[in-house]
Amino acid sequence: MDIAHFVFGIFGNASGLFLFLAPIVTFKRVITNKSTEKFSGVPYPMTLLNCLLSAWYGLPFVSPDNILVSIINGIGAAIEVTYVFIFVLFAPKKEKAKILGLFSFVVAVFSAVVLVSLLALHGNARKLFCGFAASIFSIIMYGSPLSIMVPNGVGSALGTIQLILYFIYRDSKSDGKKATAASSSGTQEEGTVEMAKHANSNGTTTQEEQV
C-alpha cells in the first residue's frame, strides 16, 4: 500500500510539474515582446496561493505521509513567483497594480492559515482546516481564468436584451410614425380647405364661379 502511494505520488508530481511549466510559452512571448499584451495575470497569484497552501498541508506536522505533496507544490510555488515577477515587470501600470494587490492578498491569506493552524489547531483539526483551505483555493485557481470572461459575458447578455427589445418595439415604432404622418397629412388638407373657404368669404371667386 505504501509502495502504491509512493508510485502514484510520483506520477502525480510529474503531471503537476508539466501543469506548472505550461505557461512558459506565454511568458517567453511576454519577454520577447516586452509586453503582457492582452494576457490576464490573475491565474498566477491564485495558483501561487494554491501551491503554498498545498505545500503547507503536505508537511509532516500537518498531514503525515504526504511529503510528495509538499515537494511538488513547493516547486510550483517557486515557478509561480517567477511568473508573477515577470508579469509585473512587463505589465501596464493598471494591471501591475492589480497583480501586486492580488499578491498581497495571497501573502495575507497564507499567513493567516499558517498562524491559525499553528496556534489554534492541533492534530486532525489542523489537517482538516489546512486541507479545506487548500481545496477552496484550488477551486478558485481553476476558476480564475474566467475573470476575463465575466465582464464580456454580462455585456453580451445586456446586448442580447437590447436586441430583443428592439425587435419587439420596432413594428410599433414604425406604426406610430405612419400614424403621425397620416395625421399631419390630414391636418394639411383641412388647412387647405379652410384657406379656400376663407378666400371665398372675402369675395374672391373660383374659376367655376366665373364661368
Side-chain angles (χ1 to χ4, degrees), residues 42-59:
V42 174
Y44 308 109
M46 293 297 99
T47 305
L48 172 61
L49 179 55
N50 177 64
C51 288
L52 290 172
L53 291 174
S54 297
W56 180 258
Y57 171 79
L59 293 175

Side-chain angles (χ1 to χ4, degrees), residues 7 18 36 56 76 94 104 106 111-112 114 120 125 133 138 140 151 155 159 184 190 199:
V7 170
F18 281 114
T36 56
W56 180 258
K94 185 177 179 180
S104 300
V106 166
S111 300
V114 168
S138 178
I140 294 175
S184 177
E190 290 177 0

Side-chain angles (χ1 to χ4, degrees), residues 3 9 11 13 22-23 26 30-31 35 57 65-66 80 90 105-106 112 116 124 130 154-156 162 175 188 199 209:
I3 295 176
F11 279 113
N13 280 12
T26 298
V30 168
I31 294 172
S35 171
Y57 171 79
D65 302 321
N66 276 320
E80 297 302 324
F90 294 107
F105 170 77
V106 166
V116 170
N124 195 52
C130 293
V154 173
S156 298
Q162 290 179 12
D175 293 340
Q188 289 179 355
E209 291 175 341

